[in-house]
Each structure stands twice: as structure tokens, then as C-alpha cells.
Amino acid sequence: MSEITITIDGQEIQTQEGELILNAARANDIFIPAICYLTRCSPTLACRICLVEADGKQVYACNAKSKDGMSITTSTENIELEKRAIMEVYDVNHPLQCGVCDQSGECELQNYTLEIGVDSQSYAIKDVDRSTEHWGLLNYDPGLCIMCERCTTVCKDMIGDSALSTRKRGADDISAELKESMPKDAYSMWNKLNKSLIEPNAGDHLDCTDCGECSAVCPVGALVSANFQYTSNAWELKQVPATCTHCSAGCQINYEVKHDSIENTQEKIYRVTNEWNYVSLCGAGRYGYDFENRVEAKDEAAFANAVAALEKADTITFDSQITNEEALILQKLKEAKGYKLINDEARTFASFMKDYSEISGTTTYKTPLKEVNKANFVISVGSAIKTDNPNARFAMNNAMIMNKGAAMYFHPVADPVVDAMGKNIMAINHAPMQEEAVMYLILDLFAKKDALPADLSEYLASFHSTKTITVTETVKEKVVEIVKEMKVNEETGEEEEIEVEKSKMVPKKVDKEVEVDDNRLLEIVNVPKKFDETMEKMLKKKDTFALMVGADFYSHPNAKNLARLVALVEKYTDFSVTMIPEKSNTLGVAMICDLDVEAGSSVVGYNVKADFTLSAKGEGDLDMPAMNQQEGTLTSIQLRVNPTNAALAYKGYELNDLANALGLKAELTVDYTEMLGAIDGFESAKFDDLPNHYTNSGEEKRGYELSITEVTASDDESVVAFDENAALSGALVYAANPTLQFNDFTKDTKQLQATAGVFVSEAYATAHELAEGDKVVVEAANATLETTLSIDSKMGGEMPFVASFDSNLNSGALFDGYRFASATLKKV
Ligand code: SF4
Ligand code: SF4
Ligand code: FES
């Protein structure tokens, strides 16, 4: 796209060739009304209110593309008539319940009705029964629905569930005379609106991954959170800009806070909202917010015990759900006191990035997740993407839909949600321990072979052979027929029958032996039938390639080889590489802390059970603030350092207090934000100077981007051959969480309550005669776990998931680092 100049209402602006007029206007703070359009999704033309005149022709700003020199007018007599009529139509039969409606105060129908000055109504139609429906976490009020279709659009184009569609409203037809007498666009819009309503594809309930994004984008109060409904007016809530702390996506959120009740003035979080034009939340971010650790006063005795425990300890063990500032405090304590720092999950990730850097020449991966949204060919490897990082799934889906893209999903466990993302995604369920084969296959399919190191090229060639196959071809064969004809004999003048030869070409099927390339990697990786044919179709017109790498790789027994293969794919193919950090701040911890392998003999745990436990869950020896009670920064998959703010007060001690007692010196935890500048990639920025918003053009102004640190790449690009016979024996289990669960903090939130244990697909439960809530025992070589079984309708395949979101379950004991393990599952 090239930079062009267009004029809107006489104002010259710069934009990109092909940019939608609406987005060009928004980026330059020019207001064009728009109801149905969602940035990052396809225009649906449901509302028609974004009418403008471009070079003398009336067009829809959300659908028309900018061209160099274009002159746009946002207001003409006809456009004003249309807009007025459109808003009148939207107000037909809209119940006047703004006094109690959730959306009141931030309702686009209210805003545009006022903006356009609708003070009388010209249209009417008999209303039909439109009763409220309850869809689990959401309520739908069809009486308020203006059929903008934002909900169906975001679910299809962004989330990938396509769980909503339109249904018949059952209304009277609009009078035919209106077609002639009323403004044309307003008539068409009304005609469409009057015919339909929204319904879940599953009928009377919503069968989806419960992200709630449809309710976030709803411009009116039609789709709302069932838990929030009728609890507060929007204007009473204080918005606290923050960063979601549940996974590594680091989504922008606002905690919305108000006093609990007249009797209880303590504040609580009423809901979480997001800048849905630029960021999409999963349900954990949206509904899992009430995980604060209420502490009424400083417990001096517990604090003294904690200081004593730290004085005695030689090790601090912690998980990655901490801020960068806390990670820096731990690192500084290590430097001052010689503690060993234990966090195996972040350590394996740091080690994977280090192995990758030896070939890539950069200390971290280089491509933020947002670039995946721009690709048109995406590959995901090593991740149960739906639950590991929902935003990675949204990015893959969005790339397929908006860029006419295609995707490959390599994972041992089938996922029906991924399969349902459309015909342009190929899911390949390879065996665990064959991840290296997947990477070799990607190199084989996409690398510029003559540029590859000779050994690697030869190794890839060793998987190829020619084989003879029989193909059936249709050929044309000449057939000669003798036909009898009547002909006049020239001598006798008599008509007589003669025989004539006639030939024609007829199709005939013949078998033919042909030599074809046989790529054994395809068989090892277990690609589906007609792989070559499907790939040819999927790769047509593709030019922007993105590879996402997940946590199965970081803790893999052959992680080093995999990291080097990832770097080689990046170097010798057109794929950019994004790594999915496993936990909310794995990337930050991996960059800031120097982590150890072996713990010592006396251990203090921060949100990890140990000899002395500091706990933001309130389950340890000294309470700590939960992440919604903390200021600080988190490093996200977007290679960005995002600020988060405290939504709720915390009256107890913090890690910073302990650090000060041990000799460090900082008044506030966020004094460490500026000190992060000493770490490669981070900046010396003051916490209070960090922005946390998006601009009208969608530019992310949240904290700052990490700078990518270059290191000298090694000349040694060698990788080792993989073992084709490597496999785990017998029945297997996988360490992964169900939808919406990530950690100890999502588990107990009011709307996401879940019992940690084993999760299986419906097919698995039927085949093994198991029922929801059964007590089961999982037996692995290292450990046995007695727990509860849950059936997950969003799971596929034959491999149970053992959840890791509840640390009390200690499910990690079943696994030897790698996320797959041989284990049997039996009903107790
Ligand atoms: S909650 Fe999310 S997945 Fe479910 S219908 Fe709404 S947008 Fe779609
Ligand atoms: S429920 Fe909301 S988002 Fe969906 S069509 Fe109705 S008004 Fe639009
Ligand atoms: S915003 Fe353009 S048609 Fe609705």
C-alpha cells in the first residue's frame, strides 16, 4: 500500500491506498457516524449510517476504499435525510427503558439519536413478542436489539466460534408505499432489521468458548453480562486502566469499580471492559476479575516470620504471574543475598530462547502476535492454542477471514474449535515426541533449499524417494464402426444398402504407472489424505507467513534441537516467528531473572507452596496482594511492556516491604519500573509516565515496546536428526487447561468456578463409560493423582487433559517436564 492524499470536507489528509474511508477519517479525528462496522472485521453494511459522498458518488465509508486525490463530503442534503430516517427507524418500538438499561450512558443508540437530533418519529410498525433470553453468562433482550450484527460478525471474523446467527423475527411486512416515499437506505436498513433477530446456532443455549466479546461490541443493551445486569449505571463506575494478568496476551482491560453497597463502602470490581475495536478478550479476562486478596491490616507477626524465613532461606521459588518489578526485586535479592531463584516454567522458556538466539542472533523472538493478524498463511506448532493463549487463536482466525488466508495447526490433540474455524485450516494431529519431524517438514515444504546448510539439505532429501504408483487416466480412443446406409447405385439407379466405416473418439479409463515423489516426513507427521492437493489450494496467492510456537516445545526433551529448528525456519523461509509465553509474565521473568535448576534446602515460595509461603491467594504464611491490587508492568507476547494499575486497595505487606527489610531500598514497588532499563530490551521509564490507551487510528499506546537485542549468531547451524521411533508408550495424558481457566486466580472467581482435575472429551467419556464428577485416578510412572473427572464439550480426541490451573492439584508431578506423559486413567 502506498501513501496517498485524500480530502474530507476540505481537509487534506494522508492515508494508505485502499484504506477504508471510515478508518482514514477516524485516524484523523474526523467524525463519520458508524454503527455496524467493527475495526478488524468485515463490513456488513447493516446500518448504512456511514453514508458519505466520494467524488460525487454516495458510498458507505466503512466499505469504500480511499484512492489518491479522492474528495469526500460527509454531509449533503440527502445524506442528512438518510441519517435522520435511519435513526428514526432504529427508535421504532425501542422500549423506553433507558433508566434501567445496562448500556444507558454509553449507548450508541442514545448517542446517535441525540447527535442526529431525532425529536419526532415518522415511522411505525406493530411490534412482535420479543422476550428476554438467557444464554449462560449472557442475557439477550431482543426488544433492545437493533440488528447491527456486530455480535455475529465479531464471533465469526475475530473469535472464530461463529456461534451466533440471525433468525426470523416474525414481524409484519413494512408497508410497500414506504419504499417510494422514505429515504432509500433507511428503507433497506429497516426492511432488513424488521425481518430478523439474533439466535445461538445451538438453539436455546450458547455453545461457544464464552469470550463475551459479542456483548462487549453490542452498541445497545441487547447483549449483556448476566452477572452485571442491573447492578450499576455505567457512569457510577470508576475505570481503572489495566492489563489482564491471566495469560501472556497482556490484553488491555479496564477494571470498573464502585463501592459494594450502601452498607459496605468497600470498593469491588463490577465488570471488566475492553477497547474492543483494537483488542478482543477471552472469557477469563472478561469474567475472571474478582480474585483480590482482601486483607484488612498489616500482620506484623506474619511479616516478622517472613523476614526470618527469608534470612534463613537459600532459595525463592515463584511462578510467572508476577510483575516485571517483582521479578526485578527477586533478581536483586538474588544478587544481594545469593538466593537461588526457582521457576522451571520461565527457565525452560529462557533456555529455549537462548538456544534459538544462537542461530537467530536476537535474544528474544522478533515478531509480536499482532503481526499474525496481518499474515495470510499461519502455522501453529506446539500449542493447545485455544486455551494456552486465546488471542493467538483469535489472530489465526482473523488472519484467515480478513486476509483470505489459510492455516496449519500441528498438535497431537484434536480440537473441535480449531476444526470449526473453516475449510482453510488443516489440522494435523501428529504423535507426541514427533515435534521435530513437524519442524523438518516445515523446512522441507517452505525453505529455499539451495540456501540451506548442505547437511540439512541432504538430510531433508533423505526423506524423499520416488515411488511408482498407478494412476487412472481418461484417454480418447478411436473407435471404428461399420454402419449400414442406404445409397443410390449410380449404375442401376436403385437404392441399396451398403456398409460404411465410421470412426469416432470415445473416452476410456486406463491405468498408468507413474513415478512420484514420496516424502516420508508426511507419513511420520500423519498428514491428512490429499495433503499435496490441499496445500496447493491453501498456498494460492499467499505471501505473508507467520509461525506461532507454543509451550510443548519449551519443555520438550529435545527442546534445544527444536529451538534451533525454529530459528532455521525463520532464517530460511518467509515465516516470521512468534513464541507463546506459557504464563502471563513468563517473557518478563525469563528476561529479568537469572534462574536456577536446583533448589537449596530452605525455600520461601511466592505463590508456590514452600517451607514458608507468601500467597496472593491468602493460603500461605504471609498474605500478598493479588494482581488486581498491584501497580506494575507485565511483558506480553506482543513484545510490549504494559502497565497495570491497582483496581482495589490492599492493606497488607508487599514483596517490596520484604525486600526493604532485607536491605533493598525502594519506597514503592513501581520505583523498580525505571530500574528495568538496566535489563536488555527494557527502558528506563517512570511508571507514572507509561501510557495505557489506543489512539483513534488503533495505534497501541500502552507502556512501550521491548527493543530487540542482537547477539552474534553462531556459524554453527547444525541440528540433529530426530528419532522417528521416539514415542510415549501406552495411554497418554496432556498437561493443559480447559477453556477460561489459567491459574489459581481464575479458578475461584464467581463466574468461572471450576473443579480442577481431569478433563475429557464427550467421545472419550462415552467410550470409557465415565460420567461428569466421577472420581478417577491417573497413574503415571512418577506419581498417582486421585481427582475428579469433567467432560468438556469443547475437547476432541482421545487424550485426557490434566489441568494445571489449580496448584493444589499438583498435577505437574505426573509429568517429567514435557506436557505429554504416559499414564492410565481409571474410575475409582
Ligand atoms: S461469547 Fe464469544 S464465542 Fe460466544 S457467541 Fe459471544 S463472541 Fe461468540
Ligand atoms: S445483540 Fe447487539 S450486537 Fe447483536 S445485533 Fe443486536 S444490537 Fe447488534
Ligand atoms: S457502519 Fe457502514 S454500513 Fe454500518
Side-chain angles (χ1 to χ4, degrees):
M1 285 209 291
S2 54
E3 179 135 309
I4 56 166
T5 304
I6 62 172
T7 312
I8 304 183
D9 294 337
Q11 181 184 334
E12 263 194 10
I13 62 168
Q14 258 64 55
T15 186
Q16 299 294 315
E17 172 92 47
E19 177 62 286
L20 298 174
I21 292 173
L22 180 64
N23 286 339
R26 283 177 171 178
N28 289 278
D29 297 330
I30 298 171
F31 174 66
I32 297 174
I35 295 179
C36 67
Y37 177 70
L38 286 172
T39 315
R40 307 182 297 160
C41 296
S42 357
T44 56
L45 303 186
C47 79
R48 299 177 178 233
I49 203 165
C50 63
L51 279 173
V52 292
E53 217 174 75
D55 291 339
K57 205 172 141 216
Q58 208 162 284
V59 294
Y60 306 106
C62 70
N63 185 43
K65 294 179 173 166
S66 307
K67 288 193 203 117
D68 197 21
M70 197 177 236
S71 171
I72 294 144
T73 312
T74 61
S75 177
T76 65
E77 196 185 335
N78 189 55
I79 288 173
E80 293 309 318
L81 282 174
E82 288 282 7
K83 287 199 288 199
R84 161 85 194 204
I86 286 168
M87 285 320 299
E88 281 191 38
V89 165
Y90 273 139
D91 291 331
V92 169
N93 292 335
H94 193 87
L96 289 176
Q97 58 184 56
C98 301
V100 293
C101 178
D102 270 14
Q103 198 73 357
S104 199
E106 52 187 15
C107 169
E108 292 180 43
L109 187 66
Q110 281 178 340
N111 291 349
Y112 283 121
T113 300
L114 284 172
E115 171 77 30
I116 288 166
V118 178
D119 52 4
S120 60
Q121 179 58 275
S122 320
Y123 310 105
I125 194 163
K126 194 174 85 196
D127 204 355
V128 290
D129 175 35
R130 293 182 283 160
S131 310
T132 302
E133 295 166 27
H134 306 287
W135 301 343
L137 294 168
L138 299 174
N139 287 341
Y140 174 56
D141 186 342
L144 297 173
C145 177
I146 60 168
M147 279 310 295
C148 64
E149 295 180 41
R150 277 191 194 170
C151 51
T152 55
T153 305
V154 80
C155 191
K156 173 170 74 63
D157 289 0
M158 180 53 65
I159 306 304
D161 273 37
S162 300
L164 294 169
S165 46
T166 54
R167 69 164 158 94
K168 284 208 172 81
R169 180 184 290 239
D172 288 353
D173 286 343
I174 295 170
S175 143
E177 284 118 57
L178 282 172
K179 187 167 189 178
E180 303 309 319
S181 62
M182 73 183 282
K184 293 203 164 10
D185 279 289
Y187 173 81
S188 306
M189 185 281 277
W190 192 13
N191 202 26
K192 189 161 176 260
L193 175 152
N194 189 52
K195 287 193 170 124
S196 39
L197 285 169
I198 297 299
E199 75 174 349
N201 290 341
D204 60 355
H205 70 285
L206 203 47
D207 181 17
C208 68
T209 50
D210 284 320
C211 68
E213 198 62 14
C214 49
S215 63
V217 301
C218 182
V220 292
L223 257 182
V224 295
S225 150
N227 181 63
F228 175 71
Q229 196 172 27
Y230 305 136
T231 57
S232 178
N233 292 311
W235 58 85
E236 294 177 290
L237 296 164
K238 180 175 77 188
Q239 294 198 337
V240 181
T243 294
C244 178
T245 63
H246 291 319
C247 87
S248 58
C251 295
Q252 172 277 337
I253 56 170
N254 288 313
Y255 291 113
E256 301 215 353
V257 175
K258 187 179 84 164
H259 61 267
D260 188 304
S261 60
I262 294 170
E263 296 77 36
N264 179 3
T265 55
Q266 197 170 40
E267 289 196 322
K268 72 170 193 185
I269 301 170
Y270 276 69
R271 65 174 178 179
V272 159
T273 53
N274 57 314
E275 291 280 357
W276 39 262
N277 265 307
Y278 309 119
V279 62
S280 304
L281 296 186
C282 77
R286 191 177 317 283
Y287 305 116
Y289 49 75
D290 46 332
F291 52 84
E292 64 274 8
N293 188 19
R294 296 270 184 203
V295 170
E296 291 315 320
K298 292 191 190 301
D299 183 340
E300 289 177 16
F303 183 74
N305 290 341
V307 174
L310 278 162
E311 295 283 13
K312 183 178 152 223
D314 54 11
T315 303
I316 301 175
T317 177
F318 63 105
D319 74 3
S320 299
Q321 217 180 353
I322 61 171
T323 61
N324 292 319
E325 289 72 11
E326 290 181 302
L328 186 56
I329 290 174
L330 293 176
Q331 177 62 21
K332 285 190 176 291
L333 285 175
K334 171 177 182 149
E335 287 158 16
K337 298 275 185 186
Y339 293 119
K340 290 166 186 277
L341 294 184
I342 301 293
N343 178 333
D344 287 344
E345 170 267 321
R347 182 178 51 76
T348 50
F349 184 61
S351 151
F352 190 85
M353 285 203 299
K354 184 162 182 306
D355 293 331
Y356 154 88
S357 73
E358 281 168 14
I359 293 177
S360 77
T362 55
T363 53
T364 59
Y365 62 93
K366 297 186 260 299
T367 311
L369 180 65
K370 64 183 181 193
E371 294 302 314
V372 174
N373 293 68
K374 298 179 191 158
N376 53 22
F377 196 90
V378 182
I379 297 184
S380 168
V381 293
S383 174
I385 202 168
K386 176 185 70 193
T387 47
D388 285 355
N389 186 315
N391 253 267
R393 168 169 75 100
F394 302 164
M396 184 161 82
N397 175 65
N398 194 229
M400 279 195 288
I401 301 229
M402 297 308 289
N403 312 333
K404 296 192 176 68
M408 297 172 90
Y409 178 72
F410 288 94
H411 200 261
V413 187
D415 187 333
V417 174
V418 168
D419 292 342
M421 280 160 78
K423 59 180 177 6
N424 290 333
I425 186 161
M426 188 198 293
I428 299 169
N429 302 127
H430 61 85
M433 293 302 292
Q434 289 303 330
E435 289 80 359
E436 288 153 288
V438 171
M439 294 312 293
Y440 280 116
L441 176 64
I442 294 172
L443 277 169
D444 190 56
L445 294 172
F446 296 98
K448 300 162 191 90
K449 297 280 170 21
D450 42 358
L452 279 180
D455 297 2
L456 181 54
S457 206
E458 274 166 34
Y459 182 57
L460 292 175
S462 74
F463 290 95
H464 290 261
S465 59
T466 45
K467 67 176 176 188
T468 308
I469 58 165
T470 307
V471 290
T472 307
E473 271 187 355
T474 304
V475 293
K476 293 257 164 118
E477 194 177 60
K478 189 172 176 183
V479 182
V480 178
E481 285 179 325
I482 311 288
V483 286
K484 291 192 172 136
E485 282 182 0
M486 300 303 287
K487 197 175 175 205
V488 177
N489 186 320
E490 282 176 9
E491 285 174 17
T492 61
E494 298 281 309
E495 200 177 4
E496 60 185 34
E497 191 179 75
I498 57 161
E499 288 189 340
V500 189
E501 272 190 9
K502 287 215 165 167
S503 67
K504 64 176 180 183
M505 302 300 284
V506 292
K508 186 184 167 194
K509 288 205 181 324
V510 288
D511 282 347
K512 194 174 148 190
E513 302 224 308
V514 287
E515 292 211 321
V516 291
D517 176 44
D518 182 21
N519 184 356
R520 219 154 41 76
L521 282 169
L522 298 178
E523 193 188 317
I524 296 168
V525 163
N526 196 24
V527 301
K529 285 198 184 99
K530 299 196 176 169
F531 175 80
D532 292 337
E533 230 174 88
T534 316
M535 280 299 279
E536 202 182 319
K537 280 190 211 145
M538 290 199 343
L539 280 168
K540 260 196 196 126
K541 297 195 186 156
K542 302 302 185 300
D543 54 12
T544 318
F545 297 81
L547 173 71
M548 295 188 287
V549 180
D552 297 1
F553 278 28
Y554 316 147
S555 58
H556 193 282
N558 304 330
K560 186 179 176 72
N561 205 35
L562 281 167
R564 294 173 71 82
L565 284 163
V566 168
L568 289 173
V569 166
E570 188 178 48
K571 182 163 182 181
Y572 292 108
T573 72
D574 292 329
F575 281 90
S576 60
V577 170
T578 303
M579 294 182 192
I580 303 176
E582 197 173 344
K583 302 240 159 104
S584 49
N585 200 21
T586 300
L587 179 57
V589 171
M591 291 175 75
I592 296 164
C593 297
D594 171 17
L595 298 163
D596 295 278
V597 180
E598 295 279 342
S601 56
S602 176
V603 184
V604 171
Y606 185 12
N607 288 332
V608 174
K609 277 208 178 68
D611 302 330
F612 189 97
T613 306
L614 314 170
S615 170
K617 283 285 294 170
E619 292 171 349
D621 303 299
L622 176 69
D623 283 308
M624 290 277 113
M627 291 293 271
N628 55 9
Q629 296 167 296
Q630 286 212 52
E631 284 183 329
T633 59
L634 294 146
T635 313
S636 78
I637 190 173
Q638 304 288 11
L639 295 168
R640 189 172 265 285
V641 179
N642 297 313
T644 192
N645 285 296
L648 300 173
Y650 178 73
K651 296 178 187 160
Y653 289 101
E654 301 184 7
L655 187 65
N656 186 44
D657 298 319
L658 287 168
N660 286 342
L662 293 170
L664 300 191
K665 231 178 175 28
E667 191 188 341
L668 299 169
T669 305
V670 289
D671 290 348
Y672 286 92
T673 310
E674 202 175 355
M675 292 183 236
L676 285 166
I679 313 272
D680 276 347
F682 288 83
E683 285 179 16
S684 297
K686 283 196 167 60
F687 179 78
D688 288 341
D689 293 343
L690 297 178
N692 198 356
H693 65 274
Y694 289 85
T695 66
N696 279 347
S697 60
E699 198 190 339
E700 194 171 8
K701 297 270 187 195
R702 298 177 61 221
Y704 56 86
E705 282 175 15
L706 281 177
S707 56
I708 307 288
T709 307
E710 299 203 350
V711 287
T712 313
S714 157
D715 292 338
D716 173 14
E717 294 185 347
S718 61
V719 273
V720 293
F722 72 97
D723 176 2
E724 289 175 40
N725 300 317
L728 297 174
S729 58
L732 306 182
V733 291
Y734 183 51
N737 288 322
T739 317
L740 306 189
Q741 288 300 335
F742 289 92
N743 47 51
D744 285 322
F745 300 95
T746 49
K747 178 174 66 95
D748 293 332
T749 56
K750 181 178 160 199
Q751 295 177 80
L752 306 181
Q753 296 273 330
T755 307
V758 172
F759 290 77
V760 298
S761 65
E762 284 164 348
Y764 184 98
T766 311
H768 295 82
E769 296 180 354
L770 294 165
E772 178 79 21
D774 277 353
K775 292 286 163 227
V776 289
V777 61
V778 187
E779 275 177 17
N782 303 341
T784 297
L785 178 71
E786 213 170 304
T787 184
T788 310
L789 182 114
S790 299
I791 299 172
D792 185 342
S793 65
K794 294 285 162 224
M795 275 178 66
E798 277 289 298
M799 205 182 301
F801 281 14
V802 184
S804 59
F805 65 84
D806 181 355
S807 59
N808 290 327
L809 193 66
N810 194 22
S811 59
L814 294 170
F815 300 87
D816 200 7
Y818 186 40
R819 288 177 81 184
F820 297 90
S822 300
T824 54
L825 173 69
K826 281 190 222 120
K827 194 166 158 175
V828 181

